[in-house]
């Protein structure tokens, strides 16, 4: 159980999973003749009515382009778009809203840092460290920029449990390390990384730290100032918001010093054929028409989350994982992959005698949605010596009955696979 969820044992929880579930219209349906059991939340979360309504309201009443109109609708759209930025800033405790850059998601956030910060800060002989646990989104952009700059991308070893090997990490650290980029929580195994300690050690050798918050943001409170990370990025769609919108947060001095990533309208101050000058933060990094409805939908998702008992929600999710592990222990041949010291509500598993994708199909026939495969983490799968896994990832609206259904589904699959 996380520190955050442990706190709830001292308080009276107002968290009620059934009323939360009722807020998500998509969950009230049958799939393949069974009530939908949606356990693919690490891939994307479902959207509460409030988010759907905010997006619909925007298109019905306020739709216009932002920052450039001299008419009422454009003023309204701009006000709502910029207040969404303020909402994100408050949610992650950013010192200023201009440090919140809209991106499409974590993938673009990391690419922005790799290409803008990386190109202007990495030299031949420098190193970028990423744990063996990483999603491809936190490997490939660094590979590209390291190849271009003559720098080296070095994987940080992990233990069989799926935890980062902190001794090996300490040994890799020296003044040639310029960036440590890692996920806050692993999408494949649920490992909650000890980011505070990693940031402290990385800063001690002068390295910057980028945290990929894709899997953390919906489950734990994120305070970028308390973390003291240099960059933090997350995707709206994993936080009950729309796809195509996400956030890159950075320390202001770093963002100010970084060159633009994409060029075009909005990000400039002046343009002439002899050269261009660039806008201030955050606009310097926001070329072109942004995903206005996405930002408004994300703000609605944040407002939704701020309206529920998040400590109670975290305790509920921790309970779901504990309950899963207890039930799974009674099924012969069901193997949990990874056993991190601290785990988010993600259960990665294999069933003896079956391929994860066949298992996924059989579960789907029973209305149970899990993800199967390599979870965009091929190096991790190779390191663990598995072809992939099946993954059940829980969210605030999942119930104990959902876990029961998963176990019934696995037992049924086991009997079919023999
Ligand atoms: N990083 C992690 C840990 C993820 O889980 C994901 C998505 O699954 C990503 C990065 C990429 O996120 P997106 O596809 O929203 O850019």
């Amino acid at each position: 159980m996380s520190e955050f969820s442990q706190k709830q044992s001292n308080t009276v929880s107002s968290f009620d999973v059934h009323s939360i579930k009722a807020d998500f219209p998509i969950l009230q349906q049958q799939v393949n003749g069974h009530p939908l059991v949606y356990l693919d939340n690490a891939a994307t979360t479902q959207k509460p009515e409030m988010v759907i309504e905010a997006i619909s309201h925007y298109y019905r009443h306020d739709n216009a382009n932002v920052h450039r109109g001299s008419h009422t609708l454009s003023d309204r759209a701009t006000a709502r778009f910029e207040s969404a930025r303020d909402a994100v800033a408050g949610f992650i405790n950013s010192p200023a809203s201009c440090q919140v850059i809209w991106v499409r998601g974590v993938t673009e956030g990391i690419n922005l840092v790799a290409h803008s910060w990386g190109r202007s800060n990495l030299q031949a002989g420098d190193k970028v460290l990423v744990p063996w646990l990483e999603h491809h989104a936190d490997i490939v952009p660094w590979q590209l920029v390291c190849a271009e700059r003559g720098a080296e991308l070095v994987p940080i070893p992990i233990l069989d449990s799926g935890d980062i090997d902190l001794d090996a990490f300490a040994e890799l650290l020296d003044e040639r390390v310029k960036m440590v980029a890692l996920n806050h929580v692993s999408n494949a195994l649920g490992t909650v990384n000890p980011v505070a300690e990693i940031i402290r050690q990385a800063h001690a050798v002068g390295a910057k730290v980028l945290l990929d918050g894709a899997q953390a943001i919906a489950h734990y409170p994120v305070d970028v100032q308390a973390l003291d990370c240099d960059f933090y990025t997350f995707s709206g769609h994993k936080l009950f918001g729309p796809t195509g919108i996400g956030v890159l947060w950075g320390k202001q001095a770093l963002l100010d010093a970084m060159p633009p990533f994409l060029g075009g309208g909005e990000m400039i101050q002046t343009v002439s054929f002899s050269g261009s000058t660039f806008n201030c933060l955050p606009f310097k990094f926001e070329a072109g028409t942004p995903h206005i409805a996405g930002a408004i939908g994300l703000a609605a998702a944040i407002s939704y989350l701020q309206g529920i008992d998040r400590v109670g929600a975290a305790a509920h999710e921790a309970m779901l994982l504990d309950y899963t592990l207890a039930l799974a222990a009674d099924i012969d041949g069901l193997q949990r992959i990874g056993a991190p010291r601290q785990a988010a509500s993600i259960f990665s598993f294999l069933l003896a005698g079956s391929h994860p994708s066949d298992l996924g199909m059989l579960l789907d026939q029973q209305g149970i949605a899990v993800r199967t495969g390599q979870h965009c983490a091929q190096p991790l799968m190779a390191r663990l010596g598995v072809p992939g896994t099946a993954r059940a990832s829980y969210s605030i609206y999942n119930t104990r009955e959902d876990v029961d259904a998963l176990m019934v589904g696995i037992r049924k699959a086991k009997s079919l696979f023999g």
Side-chain angles (χ1 to χ4, degrees):
M1 197 184 258
S2 75
E3 239 175 73
F4 179 51
S5 54
Q6 266 167 359
K7 272 192 209 152
Q8 69 85 50
S9 51
N10 302 323
T11 56
V12 178
S13 174
S14 63
F15 182 80
D16 172 9
V17 66
H18 296 289
S19 77
I20 297 280
K21 190 168 178 178
D23 293 336
F24 290 78
I26 201 172
L27 298 175
Q28 326 300 325
Q29 66 176 294
Q30 302 249 320
V31 167
N32 296 326
H34 299 269
L36 170 62
V37 175
Y38 185 77
L39 304 179
D40 194 16
N41 295 288
T44 200
T45 52
Q46 300 301 350
K47 321 304 169 199
E49 187 69 52
M50 199 170 142
V51 168
I52 299 166
E53 180 48 34
I55 296 167
S56 164
H57 184 279
Y58 165 71
Y59 280 125
R60 286 175 192 280
H61 300 281
D62 302 330
N63 177 53
N65 213 326
V66 288
H67 301 139
R68 45 181 97 160
S70 49
H71 57 83
T72 303
L73 289 193
S74 177
D75 289 346
R76 263 196 237 151
T78 303
R80 297 198 63 197
F81 180 67
E82 288 304 326
S83 85
R85 197 190 304 275
D86 297 339
V88 171
F91 187 59
I92 60 174
N93 195 27
S94 171
S97 294
C98 68
Q99 291 166 259
V100 172
I101 316 288
W102 297 119
V103 288
R104 279 185 299 150
V106 167
T107 304
E108 187 176 306
I110 298 174
N111 273 278
L112 193 163
V113 178
H115 289 275
S116 171
W117 179 91
R119 279 203 186 123
S120 46
N121 286 279
L122 294 174
Q123 321 275 346
D126 286 345
K127 291 186 198 169
V128 172
L129 305 187
V130 302
W132 221 285
L133 273 176
E134 288 312 291
H135 189 282
H136 299 160
D138 195 36
I139 298 175
V140 183
W142 296 113
Q143 267 172 343
L144 293 173
V145 75
C146 284
E148 190 183 308
R149 302 296 303 161
E152 195 187 347
L153 179 63
V154 182
I156 306 168
I158 57 165
L159 307 171
D160 292 341
S161 60
D163 288 300
I164 292 175
D165 181 340
L166 289 173
D167 294 334
F169 171 62
E171 274 174 36
L172 286 171
L173 280 177
D174 61 32
E175 70 292 346
R176 284 192 303 154
V177 176
K178 295 294 186 291
M179 169 63 75
V180 179
L182 74 159
N183 55 50
H184 193 166
V185 172
S186 154
N187 62 309
L189 304 180
T191 313
V192 180
N193 286 314
V195 291
E197 180 56 20
I198 286 172
I199 291 167
R200 194 187 61 71
Q201 291 189 32
H203 283 171
V205 298
K208 305 294 180 226
V209 179
L210 176 147
L211 291 183
D212 162 355
Q215 299 299 337
I217 195 78
H219 306 282
Y220 304 108
V222 168
D223 178 333
V224 288
Q225 295 189 66
L227 282 167
D228 194 30
C229 54
D230 298 287
F231 299 101
Y232 198 97
T233 180
F234 64 91
S235 300
H237 70 98
K238 295 186 199 278
L239 183 68
F240 314 108
T243 50
I245 189 75
V247 167
L248 171 70
W249 176 89
K251 284 186 176 163
Q252 187 157 354
L254 292 172
L255 293 173
D256 273 333
M258 282 159 52
F261 173 45
L262 300 174
E266 290 279 302
M267 51 75 71
I268 50 86
Q269 227 159 32
T270 62
V271 178
S272 76
F273 282 107
S274 55
S276 302
T277 58
F278 304 118
N279 212 336
C280 58
L281 289 177
F283 312 112
K284 177 172 81 171
F285 292 112
E286 294 180 357
T289 300
H291 186 3
I292 306 161
I296 290 167
L298 177 53
I302 287 174
S303 166
Y304 177 79
L305 262 186
Q306 287 170 331
I308 70 168
D309 169 5
R310 288 200 78 195
V311 173
H316 174 77
E317 290 180 352
M319 177 280 291
L320 292 175
L321 181 65
D322 290 346
Y323 184 52
T324 303
L325 297 180
L327 295 185
D330 284 341
I331 302 182
D332 274 350
L334 179 57
Q335 183 196 358
R336 181 186 187 193
I337 302 301
R341 275 188 289 264
Q342 193 189 332
S345 51
I346 287 179
F347 177 55
S348 228
F349 61 98
L350 287 173
L351 181 64
S354 71
H355 191 277
S357 56
D358 296 332
L359 179 56
M361 269 163 42
L362 272 172
L363 291 173
D364 181 51
Q365 285 169 11
Q366 298 166 68
I368 303 164
V370 297
R371 173 89 182 257
T372 62
Q374 300 184 321
H375 314 298
C376 296
Q378 288 182 15
L380 172 65
M381 297 298 143
R383 160 66 182 79
L384 297 175
V386 294
T389 73
R391 181 188 71 188
S393 49
Y394 300 117
S395 185
I396 51 174
Y397 37 65
N398 289 122
T399 59
R400 282 168 80 96
E401 292 73 33
D402 290 345
V403 181
D404 292 336
L406 174 66
M407 294 302 153
V408 169
I410 292 173
R411 282 183 191 278
K412 187 161 177 197
K414 185 171 143 69
S415 69
L416 290 172
F417 291 127

